[in-house]
Structure formats: structure tokens, C-alpha cells
Amino acid sequence: MLKGRHVIEPGNLSVQEIDEICTLAEQIIVDPVSFQDVCRGKILAALFFEPSTRTRLSFEAAMLRLGGTVEGFADASYTSTSKGESLADTIRVVSSYADVIAMRTPKEGAAFLASKYSACPVINAGDGGHFHPTQTLTDLLTIRSLKGSYENQVVGFCGDLKFGRTVHSLTQAMCRYPKNKFVFISPKELKVPDYMIENILKPSGVEYIEAERLEDVIGDLDVLYMTRVQKERFFNEQDYIRLKDSYILDREKMKLAKNDMIVLHPLPRVNEIQPDVDDDPRASYFKQVKYGMYARMALIAKVTGAL
Ligand code: NCD
């Protein structure tokens, strides 16, 4: 039963519930008209304390396409937070107006804290370098739709694996399915953090390796998940400048990959995928954007109890 549930990290959803959400999303893709009124009368509050294009607009589009309405902000400097209001109070107030809250903050753990004070479900739309569960639903739906399954896949995560919350979230979700293998490709400074290894990878028993050169491993991958170096989470600009172009996927590197590998990226991209890769049939990051809206529609319909 997903009605009333907070979704702070992918681990809050069982594998059956993830299947249920992806199956509903697939039904919506096939017949969106049948779902256009299911959230009529319901309100989504989109509270974005950190910049976003896709995630905020896709949450809003998702609620509007279900027949509901949206309120919220994309810049907290115009809210009472700037007068010193605590997150707990903001959430107590907003959850008395809305039926579901989607929130993004730069602080790890803030969405979890908000869920303790909320009278309605809280969906984490990204908390600092921590988790981003609706991007994970997006990624899983994309992988299932394009590869037929999210089991038995060799997934390469490339780029900023230290601060990239989308990587942490998808890893947490995919290590629960049988026969997946991970290849973590990053410079030494941006390796997967220890808490991910100790709390998630080791206990799951998933097979994984770490690599530094994309060219050495790209040929083994079924899914290549490229990521941006997360500028906003660096303490030191020199380090960012030194590391930002560590990986650039181009046509030459794509020649080394399997014919049916897919390339995903949560976007925004900076330099890590050359525009000439966009025409390659394996480049799937713009399809992924569309799956994101449907995944969010399914999740909103479930947690609000509309379906
Ligand atoms: C990601 C994020 O915000 O973590 N973007 C997104 O939600 N689509 C990835 C990123 O910003 O690099």
C-alpha cells in the first residue's frame, strides 16, 4: 500500500512496489487520457530550495497531467525561510494546504526531517549529495523499457560518484535485483563514498569493480550512466576545474561499446557527452526525460491514494 507513504530514498520502496509503479507508468504511457482526471482536486506543493529544471517541471507536469494543481517555489529567497523560519514549521504549514510535497534541498537528510513534520506524503526530489529516488524510478523505467528488464545488467556509472545522488540512488535500487553487476568509473577523488560501500554495496553482495579509464571497460557494459561533476558540492574551485573534464564520451569511445548498450544521463550535461553522440541510436538520455514524467505521474497517483 503506497497511499500516504513518504519516499525519501529508493530503499523506502520494496521491489514489488517499484514494479507496481513502473507498470502503472507503462499503462499511463499507453493510454494517458484514462488517467487525466485521477488527481482532480488534489494539490502538489513543489518546494525547491535548490536549482532544478527537469525535476521541478516534470513533477509539475506530472500533477497537471493527472488533473491536479500545483503550488510552490523555485527560489527559497522569496519565502519565510529567508526570515529564519525552520524547515519543520514550513513543512507543517505547507502540508496543511497540499496533498503531496515534492522537495529539493542542498542538505543531506532534509527530506527525511521534513517527513517527520508533514501531514502529507513527502517525496524527496534530491537532498544534497545523498538520494534522488524519483530519478531512480525514471532510470529504472527507462532501463526496463529499453533493455526489457532491470535484472542481469552490467551498469557502468561514470563521473562524479562521490557527490552524484542519482548514482547513489540507482545503485541502492539496482543492487536488489538478481545478477546485476556494477562498474564504477571515476577519478580517485570522486569515488563512491564509504557509506555507500559499507551500508549498501557490501550488505547486498552485489558484484562490482572500480575503474579509472572509461575506454578500458565500456565494451563490457549494457548500460552506461554518465554524470556531471557536481560543481556546487565542491569546497574548492581548483579541484572542480581539475576534475570537471575527467570523462568525455565521444563517437570514438562509442565505437568500443556494444551495439545494444544504452547511454543514460540524468541531465543537465556539461561536457561529459559530446553533442555528436546524440544521434547515436544508443544515446537514450532524452527518452529518459520523458520516462521521468510518467514515473512521477505513477508515484504521485499512488502516494496520494488516487489509484
Ligand atoms: C540530477 C540532480 O539534480 O541530482 N539532475 C536531475 O535531477 N535530473 C543530476 C545533476 O544535477 O547532475
Side-chain angles (χ1 to χ4, degrees):
M1 183 70 166
L2 282 158
K3 183 179 175 187
R5 285 263 291 280
H6 304 297
V7 181
I8 309 303
E9 55 182 77
N12 298 147
L13 301 169
S14 68
V15 288
Q16 290 80 5
E17 286 164 343
I18 286 182
D19 275 348
E20 213 182 292
I21 293 163
C22 287
T23 301
L24 176 58
E26 283 163 356
Q27 288 163 355
I28 300 173
I29 291 171
V30 174
D31 182 15
V33 176
S34 296
F35 297 89
Q36 68 187 8
D37 280 319
V38 298
C39 279
R40 175 91 39 226
K42 294 195 193 295
I43 297 175
L44 167 85
L47 312 185
F48 279 70
F49 296 89
E50 199 188 49
S52 170
T53 310
R54 261 152 303 275
T55 306
R56 184 172 61 83
L57 294 182
S58 78
F59 262 110
E60 294 187 4
M63 189 49 146
L64 295 171
R65 284 179 185 273
L66 293 168
T69 48
V70 292
E71 61 179 9
F73 52 82
D75 180 348
S77 59
Y78 295 108
T79 70
S80 290
T81 309
S82 66
K83 298 182 193 167
E85 186 175 52
S86 69
L87 178 65
D89 283 3
T90 303
I91 294 295
R92 282 187 181 110
V93 170
V94 172
S95 70
S96 52
Y97 308 144
D99 299 285
V100 55
I101 292 174
M103 67 175 282
R104 168 172 288 191
T105 72
K107 293 201 184 102
E108 287 81 5
F112 176 72
L113 181 73
S115 71
K116 298 288 159 210
Y117 295 95
S118 180
C120 70
V122 173
I123 303 176
N124 180 12
D127 62 326
H130 218 189
F131 289 114
H132 190 352
T134 62
Q135 182 64 46
T136 300
L137 291 172
T138 303
D139 302 337
L140 291 173
L141 179 62
T142 310
I143 294 170
R144 177 160 122 166
S145 304
L146 302 182
K147 300 291 294 177
S149 170
Y150 29 62
E151 297 178 7
N152 200 13
Q153 305 289 332
V154 181
V155 186
F157 293 96
C158 180
D160 185 347
L161 312 187
K162 178 179 181 190
F163 296 117
R165 56 194 173 196
T166 60
V167 172
H168 304 157
S169 296
L170 187 57
T171 304
Q172 190 195 53
M174 285 197 81
C175 69
R176 299 191 293 179
Y177 297 98
K179 294 194 266 178
N180 286 331
K181 289 184 192 154
F182 300 146
V183 182
F184 294 113
I185 309 141
S186 73
K188 283 193 188 64
E189 295 88 336
L190 298 178
K191 279 165 73 156
V192 179
D194 287 345
Y195 75 86
M196 287 295 302
I197 296 182
E198 296 304 324
N199 302 342
I200 292 171
L201 293 167
K202 280 193 186 159
S204 76
V206 71
E207 226 180 281
Y208 71 91
I209 57 163
E210 294 182 292
E212 272 189 57
R213 275 168 45 91
L214 178 57
E215 300 85 318
D216 294 346
V217 291
I218 193 169
D220 301 329
L221 308 177
D222 300 310
V223 177
L224 171 59
Y225 196 93
M226 293 297 295
T227 63
R228 166 180 77 89
V229 175
Q230 305 279 297
K231 181 178 183 195
E232 64 278 34
R233 315 231 184 273
F234 277 69
F235 294 113
N236 168 336
E237 195 170 357
Q238 261 77 49
D239 285 348
Y240 170 70
I241 292 168
R242 184 167 54 81
L243 293 168
K244 72 183 175 61
D245 292 327
S246 300
Y247 301 100
I248 298 181
L249 182 65
D250 56 16
R251 279 196 187 171
E252 283 308 303
K253 293 196 188 86
M254 286 299 284
K255 285 187 190 151
L256 305 171
K258 290 184 190 169
N259 288 336
D260 64 347
M261 183 190 81
I262 57 170
V263 184
L264 303 184
H265 190 308
L267 303 178
R269 82 171 135 179
V270 186
N271 280 332
E272 57 279 357
I273 303 180
Q274 287 290 292
D276 66 6
V277 176
D278 296 356
D279 297 333
D280 188 303
R282 295 168 288 182
S284 307
Y285 27 92
F286 291 115
K287 289 185 192 150
Q288 193 182 353
V289 171
K290 194 120 193 194
Y291 285 117
M293 183 183 73
Y294 293 113
R296 291 182 178 102
M297 286 174 82
L299 181 66
I300 292 169
K302 290 281 182 190
V303 298
T304 57
L307 287 175

